[in-house]
Amino acid sequence: VEESQLYRGGHLPGPVSNLHPLLGGLKETLSTREFAVVGAVFSSASSPKNGLESEILAFSIPSILAYALRHQQELALLVCSAAQGEDIAGLMSRKTLNRQSSDAEAIAIATAAAAICENVDTSEDEDEEPPTQQRQISMLTSNITATKVYSRSELLTIPKLDDLYHNNFHNAKKQILERLQAPASEGRVKQLISLAQQIGKGDILRQLSARLFSTSFSDSALSCHTAVLEPLNVMAWQERARKSYSSALAICMTNLSGAKAGRNAASPLLANLAFDQSFLDTLWDGLIRWQPSQSDDAATTIASFEAFTSFCDAFAHNLLTVSDDDFLQRHNGVSSGIVAKDVVLKLKLVLSDLYWGRPVVAADLSASGNSLDSALRFQRARLLLSGTKLFNSLHERWSRLYRDVVQFCAEDCWWFSYLASRGSHDNSPLARGQNNSQMNADDPMDSSDDEGDMPRGSTDTDGDALADNFRDAKMARVLTAVPQAMPFNRRVNMFNYLIEADKARTQDESGVMRQIMQAMQDGEEEPEIPGRENVTIRRHELYSDSKRTLNRLGKRLKKRVQVTFINEHGMQEAGIDGGGVFKEFIDDLIKNIFIPAERPNDKDSHPEFFTVTPIQTLNVNGALDESPDTLSNFVFAGRVLGKAIYESILVEPQFCFPFLNKLLGRQNSLDDLKNLDPEYFRNLKSLQHMSSDEIDSLGLTFETEGANSISVELLPNGSNIPVTKKNVIQYIHLVSHQKMNVSGSRQTHAFLSGFRDMIPSHHVRLFSAYELQKIISGDDAVKGIDVQSFMNVVRYSGGYHPTQSIMLWFWQVVAEMTPQQQRLFLKFMTSCSRQPLLGFGSMNPPPCIQQIRLLEDARGRDVAEGAAAGNGHVRLPSSSTCMNLLKLPKYTSKEMLREKLLYAIESAAGFELS
């Protein structure tokens, strides 16, 4: 069939009018038989009747396209490269490729991707596999069982698996490009490039999708062509075309799959498809009813995996540009085409099998050949990567919206069923002898010369470092890739396991008792405990003394620290620090550093290292200079906060989410700005809804005001580039990036370097920003306290016991308090207003209520019970927060107890040190 016969007279109207370049380019790739069938269809459709030839063409092209891509490795590879945005014409002119593979032998991923289409075509073919080869999934994966113990080399972390996937593709591309650069193939190469560019841009695929999945299509539309369509009926022909389209799309998007969001920002194919809501809705409609089942035949399962992978890649790309408000409007209602909760639940179902039930192994990406087994294994691995990308993109948004009390799904929607409750993997989860966070006591002290340097390490390295700590390779992969699949409290337990394992080395004192006994025999009254750091702190110079004595320790601050206080009169305070004094010291020091309102006004004053945001959270003060001396203060602040977490001491500071994201090594996006300055965010976002004249009237240029009111250019020569309706979106994103990621970055990096001396960066990868705040200061969402749990763990001393009337009154009074009063009471007794994440039973030392005399004289001395009236006045309750100790006078009535206790906690009076 000549090309001129096909397009003469404009016989290809409508959205498919630009499909004809496919026909010439595909001539050399199609077998005679297949092309004859297509030619018969085109000939029959040459006389237009009601536009029917467009329908027939739309139903024919997908089969042609799928056939060509699965039989022509060169075409499939060039299409994948073009779909990613590569200049394949320029690529072909290069003699060598710069990137080198760092992984296993070159595997032709394009070939493996093409092989998956072998069983899609429902028409008869002499090469079709016999029915006996349509094996069940359970047979294909019989070598994979949920009870098998896997090694870390088999279950690579997701970043490494992702690298292997793309390195394999690159190696295949390198081999094929070298083959195509032979002079004899020049004419064929030009034809392939032209065709690959047409397909890779995505216009054709988008138009085909609109035609194939149109709800306006009528079964009777092609009834007059029944003879041409035989042996398939109209519906079977349509279904065949849809399956072929899905397979062709999956091949085209091979190089767009992966675990990293934002990698394919320049992809023309995703630009065409991902922002076409009808395309996304069409893909999702075919998946919402799909339930993975071992009763499905392999071909059906492969096709479903293909479609799901394409959806994950497209929807994750779409979410990159969707604001939180638009997301909730589009995907958080029952009338939405794609309901976010449904996507989360579907992903959880599929990923739980790929991660835990029958986990993907590294060898799956190297599965070669045209068998169903290799095709299924490859598609499972590919879906694992792309599904993880979408699962994490949705969870990142869920976490950001959580602060606004807007949840598009419940927290348990993210949990894998295997991990929702405690199991055998909770017992001794850490690998023996494995701990990359080990701190050697002989490490040299950190110098201040590099305290402002950027912290080292990549997220890939962090993932491996975290995974190496765990005994179970499946657990390691889940916790490094999708930690939200495990409930938060269980992840806190895992985090504590990691910290305690580190403490077992840094604070091991099992061998020092003999040295202490010998020292006491030699006459030392208070011998120092070997291995501990002993510091002396003047209370009126708390910050300067602390920085001078502790910051020089660097990572050795992980050791136990014994504090001796010097009072305002220059006298050493009595007592030996058994842990309680250090807790009080950390509480006071953190308030001094982070909370300006609680800093004493004395000669120990220092600049405000953190400022209070409009939503009353803390962010680094980017207005301070970036000298080494100033940055050393941020290094020290990071170490102090890290030390509090290391010692499981909850503290009060509440940080803004953009700052917490930086602690997690994550980049902030535009929507994170609302968690820093909501009004600024609203004003900035309003620009995109203004008319061109309104924007012009503002006289904006690509510059903004930085710290200390200094003008900062957002682009080179930005002060001379006006903001217009065309570039306002770019301006909005550049301003938010400057405000959240650039401003104060040196101070933040210095803080991070100190924080990571105490808490390795891979440890905090277990949590989101919201969850990290709970690790720092407890759960702010809990209103009040769990009185019954508190009562169950409290100890009594000084003559009190739980059955006494005064104790019954006490717990009744606490239970009757408002949530705010209960939190004030908890702060009064323990120094922190939030209850511990793992319950009151995890407090060390355990909370205790001690009886003291009811009356005291004018000098504060005890007045004996039964003394004459007027010889003393009634005491208020007091506390020793360093020991979690409440000192409660023996009141004679419930009313008196309530009055005195509320007065004490609401006036913040009564703190003292035992």
Side-chain angles (χ1 to χ4, degrees):
V1 180
E2 295 295 329
E3 291 180 16
S4 57
Q5 291 179 317
L6 290 174
Y7 347 121
R8 185 182 299 132
H11 290 166
L12 303 174
V16 294
S17 60
N18 63 344
L19 290 178
H20 58 82
L22 279 170
L23 305 180
L26 285 170
K27 269 186 178 180
E28 300 296 326
T29 69
L30 299 173
S31 69
T32 304
R33 179 178 179 277
E34 183 74 9
F35 194 65
V37 173
V38 178
V41 174
F42 289 160
S43 298
S44 177
S46 60
S47 299
K49 287 187 178 180
N50 303 319
L52 298 182
E53 75 288 348
S54 297
E55 299 290 354
I56 292 180
L57 182 60
F59 287 176
S60 304
I61 289 296
S63 298
I64 300 174
L65 189 56
Y67 182 93
L69 290 172
R70 71 175 179 251
H71 284 88
Q72 288 292 330
Q73 300 174 29
E74 296 93 340
L75 177 61
L77 186 139
L78 290 176
V79 168
C80 291
S81 298
Q84 197 174 28
E86 286 192 73
D87 177 13
I88 55 176
L91 190 66
M92 289 302 304
S93 66
R94 302 175 199 164
K95 296 299 181 184
T96 59
L97 298 176
N98 294 326
R99 181 178 169 187
Q100 298 296 322
S101 171
S102 61
D103 286 287
E105 59 190 17
I107 302 298
I109 283 189
T111 304
I116 61 180
C117 297
E118 289 293 343
N119 299 284
V120 172
D121 193 333
T122 59
S123 62
E124 295 185 7
D125 194 288
E126 58 269 22
D127 297 327
E128 186 176 53
E129 293 186 2
T132 55
Q133 294 191 22
Q134 298 291 330
R135 294 167 289 177
Q136 303 298 311
I137 299 177
S138 57
M139 296 174 62
L140 286 170
T141 58
S142 59
N143 60 324
I144 303 176
T145 63
T147 58
K148 179 182 175 181
V149 177
Y150 295 87
S151 67
R152 284 273 286 109
S153 60
E154 288 179 294
L155 298 190
L156 296 179
T157 58
I158 294 301
K160 276 199 169 181
L161 202 66
D162 187 68
D163 286 343
L164 177 61
Y165 177 87
H166 288 282
N167 281 330
N168 286 346
F169 181 89
H170 171 76
N171 290 333
K173 180 169 71 174
K174 182 178 180 180
Q175 290 182 341
I176 290 177
L177 290 181
E178 289 175 352
R179 189 163 68 237
L180 290 176
Q181 286 172 353
S185 61
E186 183 177 350
R188 180 168 175 269
V189 167
K190 289 182 179 179
Q191 188 181 51
L192 284 173
I193 290 176
S194 175
L195 181 57
Q197 288 174 331
Q198 289 289 329
I199 301 171
K201 289 180 180 178
D203 292 331
I204 294 171
L205 292 170
R206 177 173 52 81
Q207 294 168 16
L208 281 174
S209 173
R211 185 62 61 91
L212 287 172
F213 299 95
S214 172
T215 56
S216 62
F217 174 72
S218 171
D219 292 355
S220 60
L222 299 178
S223 58
C224 61
H225 294 279
T226 302
V228 177
L229 302 179
E230 289 180 352
L232 302 177
N233 58 36
V234 174
M235 294 305 296
W237 182 269
Q238 184 184 35
E239 183 63 22
R240 176 183 188 272
R242 289 177 174 178
K243 287 183 178 180
S244 296
Y245 175 84
S246 295
S247 292
L249 177 65
I251 298 173
C252 294
M253 297 180 67
T254 299
N255 203 28
L256 301 179
S257 296
K260 298 178 182 178
R263 168 189 276 154
N264 302 304
S267 167
L269 187 145
L270 285 178
N272 256 301
L273 300 181
F275 304 107
D276 184 341
Q277 195 60 45
S278 63
F279 169 79
L280 291 175
D281 289 345
T282 296
L283 277 180
W284 181 243
D285 286 344
L287 293 169
I288 189 64
R289 292 176 296 276
W290 172 56
Q291 295 291 336
S293 171
Q294 292 193 4
S295 63
D296 292 339
D297 64 76
T300 300
T301 304
I302 291 171
S304 298
F305 279 178
E306 289 175 337
F308 206 168
T309 302
S310 298
F311 173 78
C312 290
D313 289 327
F315 194 39
H317 190 77
N318 173 276
L319 293 180
L320 292 174
T321 63
V322 177
S323 69
D324 287 346
D325 292 337
D326 290 342
F327 175 86
L328 291 173
Q329 185 176 0
R330 297 178 191 176
H331 306 298
N332 194 35
V334 292
S335 60
S336 304
I338 301 175
V339 179
K341 179 180 178 180
D342 293 341
V343 178
V344 171
L345 292 175
K346 182 70 70 176
L347 278 169
K348 179 182 74 170
L349 177 67
V350 174
L351 290 178
S352 63
D353 182 58
L354 300 178
Y355 271 98
W356 199 268
R358 294 168 294 172
V360 170
V361 297
D364 292 343
L365 283 178
S366 302
S368 58
N370 295 330
S371 68
L372 289 171
D373 179 69
S374 61
L376 179 58
R377 290 171 62 192
F378 177 84
Q379 282 304 320
R380 292 181 85 249
R382 185 178 169 191
L383 180 55
L384 174 69
L385 297 175
S386 295
T388 296
K389 173 173 60 183
L390 180 56
F391 200 58
N392 285 335
S393 295
L394 289 168
H395 187 261
E396 181 180 344
R397 193 177 296 267
W398 182 87
S399 299
R400 187 167 58 236
L401 291 169
Y402 194 92
R403 193 180 186 96
D404 299 333
V405 199
V406 179
Q407 298 180 6
F408 55 80
C409 67
E411 187 172 4
D412 60 5
C413 289
W414 303 97
W415 303 344
F416 291 174
S417 58
Y418 300 95
L419 304 176
S421 58
R422 287 182 59 86
S424 59
H425 32 74
D426 285 271
N427 302 321
S428 302
L430 301 188
R432 291 187 179 90
Q434 291 287 346
N435 202 314
N436 291 341
S437 64
Q438 181 173 353
M439 186 277 292
N440 191 316
D442 295 327
D443 284 348
M445 289 185 295
D446 296 345
S447 68
S448 60
D449 296 337
D450 60 351
E451 286 178 330
D453 290 348
M454 292 180 62
R456 305 182 306 274
S458 66
T459 55
D460 293 5
T461 304
D462 289 345
D464 278 333
L466 178 61
D468 287 340
N469 283 286
F470 292 101
R471 175 169 50 86
D472 187 334
K474 292 195 295 184
M475 175 77 74
R477 178 184 275 180
V478 168
L479 290 177
T480 56
V482 285
Q484 67 270 24
M486 177 183 283
F488 172 66
N489 285 344
R490 292 192 58 211
R491 279 180 281 133
V492 174
N493 280 326
M494 295 294 173
F495 178 77
N496 287 340
Y497 276 125
L498 293 170
I499 296 297
E500 291 304 317
D502 199 56
K503 282 184 179 180
R505 290 180 303 277
T506 62
Q507 300 182 1
D508 183 14
E509 297 177 352
S510 58
V512 304
M513 187 57 64
R514 184 178 302 173
Q515 300 177 46
I516 294 175
M517 295 297 294
Q518 183 63 48
M520 294 179 68
Q521 292 175 7
D522 293 341
E524 294 184 33
E525 294 183 0
E526 296 181 7
E528 290 188 358
I529 301 177
R532 293 192 179 187
E533 298 292 341
N534 295 274
V535 296
T536 300
I537 304 295
R538 293 170 291 179
R539 285 191 178 272
H540 63 285
E541 295 192 18
L542 175 66
Y543 180 78
S544 58
D545 280 359
S546 301
K547 182 173 184 289
R548 175 177 51 82
T549 57
L550 296 180
N551 209 32
R552 62 180 176 80
L553 298 177
K555 292 185 177 181
R556 293 201 297 274
L557 187 56
K558 286 184 176 183
K559 294 183 177 181
R560 293 188 188 274
V561 177
Q562 280 190 289
V563 177
T564 300
F565 277 121
I566 304 297
N567 64 24
E568 295 179 356
H569 305 291
M571 302 296 292
Q572 178 176 317
E573 296 183 3
I576 299 176
D577 183 9
V581 177
F582 178 75
K583 179 176 180 290
E584 182 202 10
F585 163 70
I586 283 290
D587 284 335
D588 291 345
L589 181 58
I590 282 183
K591 290 173 185 176
N592 185 290
I593 295 173
F594 294 100
I595 307 178
E598 300 197 27
R599 185 178 305 141
N601 184 19
D602 56 22
K603 64 179 181 179
D604 194 39
S605 62
H606 54 75
E608 292 186 4
F609 303 127
F610 284 76
T611 58
V612 180
T613 69
I615 58 175
Q616 301 304 303
T617 54
L618 297 174
N619 193 24
V620 291
N621 186 356
L624 297 181
D625 66 76
E626 299 177 359
S627 66
D629 184 59
T630 298
L631 294 179
S632 70
N633 290 289
F634 286 97
V635 175
F636 179 57
R639 286 178 181 148
V640 171
L641 182 64
K643 178 65 171 176
I645 297 175
Y646 193 76
E647 300 295 346
S648 301
I649 299 174
L650 295 180
V651 293
E652 285 294 311
Q654 296 280 302
F655 298 97
C656 65
F657 275 19
F659 177 74
L660 293 171
N661 280 334
K662 294 176 185 177
L663 288 186
L664 297 172
R666 298 171 184 167
Q667 190 88 338
N668 288 298
S669 64
L670 173 61
D671 281 295
D672 290 304
L673 182 58
K674 66 184 176 186
N675 289 319
L676 179 67
D677 190 335
E679 184 177 0
Y680 191 94
F681 171 76
R682 287 192 296 270
N683 292 338
L684 187 64
K685 285 276 290 181
S686 68
L687 293 176
Q688 70 183 83
H689 302 296
M690 291 184 178
S691 66
S692 180
D693 291 340
E694 288 173 326
I695 293 175
D696 293 343
S697 68
L698 296 175
L700 297 173
T701 59
F702 274 78
E703 61 180 344
T704 187
E705 186 178 282
N708 299 316
S709 301
I710 298 175
S711 179
V712 177
E713 291 191 332
L714 303 174
L715 292 173
N717 196 34
S719 58
N720 296 318
I721 302 176
V723 178
T724 65
K725 185 65 176 177
K726 290 183 178 180
N727 62 22
V728 70
I729 299 297
Q730 181 187 21
Y731 172 79
I732 290 171
H733 283 274
L734 287 174
V735 169
S736 67
H737 175 70
Q738 170 68 31
K739 192 171 182 67
M740 291 186 296
N741 298 317
V742 178
S743 179
S745 60
R746 289 286 291 169
Q747 292 86 344
T748 301
H749 292 151
F751 185 93
L752 278 174
S753 68
F755 181 81
R756 289 174 178 173
D757 281 346
M758 299 294 103
I759 307 295
S761 57
H762 53 271
H763 284 19
V764 295
R765 281 172 56 96
L766 293 170
F767 308 108
S768 66
Y770 173 75
E771 292 168 338
L772 180 58
Q773 181 62 63
K774 292 201 283 187
I775 295 293
I776 294 170
S777 59
D779 194 349
D780 192 48
V782 176
K783 305 302 180 183
I785 62 175
D786 185 343
V787 177
Q788 184 62 49
S789 296
F790 196 25
M791 184 168 58
N792 290 341
V793 301
V794 162
R795 299 179 180 181
Y796 302 88
S797 66
Y800 279 149
H801 59 82
T803 60
Q804 290 175 313
S805 297
I806 185 171
M807 286 296 97
L808 298 178
W809 296 338
F810 172 80
W811 291 114
Q812 290 170 9
V813 169
V814 173
E816 292 165 1
M817 290 178 178
T818 65
Q820 180 61 24
Q821 289 172 333
Q822 288 179 346
R823 295 182 67 162
L824 287 174
F825 163 70
L826 191 61
K827 183 176 181 180
F828 179 84
M829 183 173 176
T830 69
S831 80
C832 185
S833 62
R834 299 168 188 86
Q835 64 185 44
L837 292 175
L838 299 180
F840 291 107
S842 65
M843 294 180 69
N844 186 27
C848 180
I849 302 176
Q850 180 184 33
Q851 177 179 267
I852 60 173
R853 296 287 187 182
L854 176 65
L855 302 177
E856 64 180 1
D857 61 20
R859 296 186 178 182
R861 294 176 299 190
D862 290 347
V863 175
E865 292 186 31
N871 287 343
H873 60 271
V874 177
R875 276 192 170 112
L876 288 171
S878 60
S879 64
S880 295
T881 58
C882 61
M883 301 299 294
N884 299 323
L885 178 67
L886 175 66
K887 300 177 180 181
L888 185 70
K890 193 175 180 181
Y891 296 114
T892 56
S893 69
K894 178 181 176 180
E895 289 69 25
M896 179 185 290
L897 189 154
R898 184 199 311 276
E899 175 190 352
K900 299 299 183 181
L901 184 59
L902 290 177
Y903 182 85
I905 66 175
E906 290 179 348
S907 62
F911 292 92
E912 63 178 53
L913 177 65
S914 293

